Amino acid sequence: MKSYTVWGIDGVPPDDDTYVVTADVTVRPGVTLTILPGTTVRFNPAVGLWVDGTLLAAGLPGAQIQFLANGTILPLPWRAIQFNATAMGSITWSIFDRPEVAVIADGSSPTIGNNTVRTAFIFGFYLAGSSSVIVSAARRIAA
């Protein structure tokens, strides 16, 4: 992403509450991606969201942001949302289903709170060189 972007219904066309990520997306330094409450983001297998700028993903109770695998025949995971060293931002009140890792903070310290990980293939959250604190996270493993 090269400029400020909003995903979700904000009253400015194009308005959609579902986004399908078919190839890796990078939020560049100096750029902000805002994901609004109630938005669904679906990832193809082995695809992720890499943050070098700012990600603001703030769901609400009853209007969580959903990060899901795109409806594929094989239950292959999507990669992760990764905050790199230059990244800032937050992910709150979100639901993650079938990532390899839901959120990675690598040398950055995003705010992470009130999230649910249904099934993660490796980790729910992975913090490396980060002072982030996971607040009120739940992990449910599907049977």
Side-chain angles (χ1 to χ4, degrees):
M1 283 181 188
K2 297 180 182 179
S3 63
Y4 177 76
T5 302
V6 175
W7 288 355
I9 297 178
D10 65 354
V12 178
D15 251 351
D16 198 352
D17 65 352
T18 301
Y19 293 80
V20 178
V21 180
T22 59
D24 288 334
V25 171
T26 300
V27 180
R28 294 183 180 190
V31 174
T32 299
L33 169 60
T34 299
I35 304 176
L36 299 175
T39 300
T40 298
V41 181
R42 294 185 171 277
F43 293 88
N44 277 3
V47 170
L49 176 59
W50 316 116
V51 184
D52 293 317
T54 302
L55 173 62
L56 302 174
L60 297 169
Q64 292 94 339
I65 297 168
Q66 295 188 70
F67 297 100
L68 311 172
N70 196 18
T72 58
I73 295 171
L74 298 173
L76 298 173
W78 55 280
R79 286 217 174 120
I81 296 174
Q82 180 166 325
F83 289 86
N84 293 318
T86 59
M88 301 184 317
S90 61
I91 297 182
T92 58
W93 292 103
S94 296
I95 297 169
F96 297 87
D97 190 38
R98 287 185 18 211
E100 288 177 3
V101 179
V103 177
I104 298 169
D106 187 4
S108 60
S109 299
T111 300
I112 303 170
N114 299 300
N115 297 298
T116 299
V117 179
R118 289 187 182 143
T119 301
F121 283 75
I122 300 174
F123 296 112
F125 303 95
Y126 181 77
L127 310 177
S130 173
S131 62
S132 289
V133 175
I134 309 297
V135 178
S136 187
R139 181 165 185 193
R140 293 184 298 193
I141 300 173

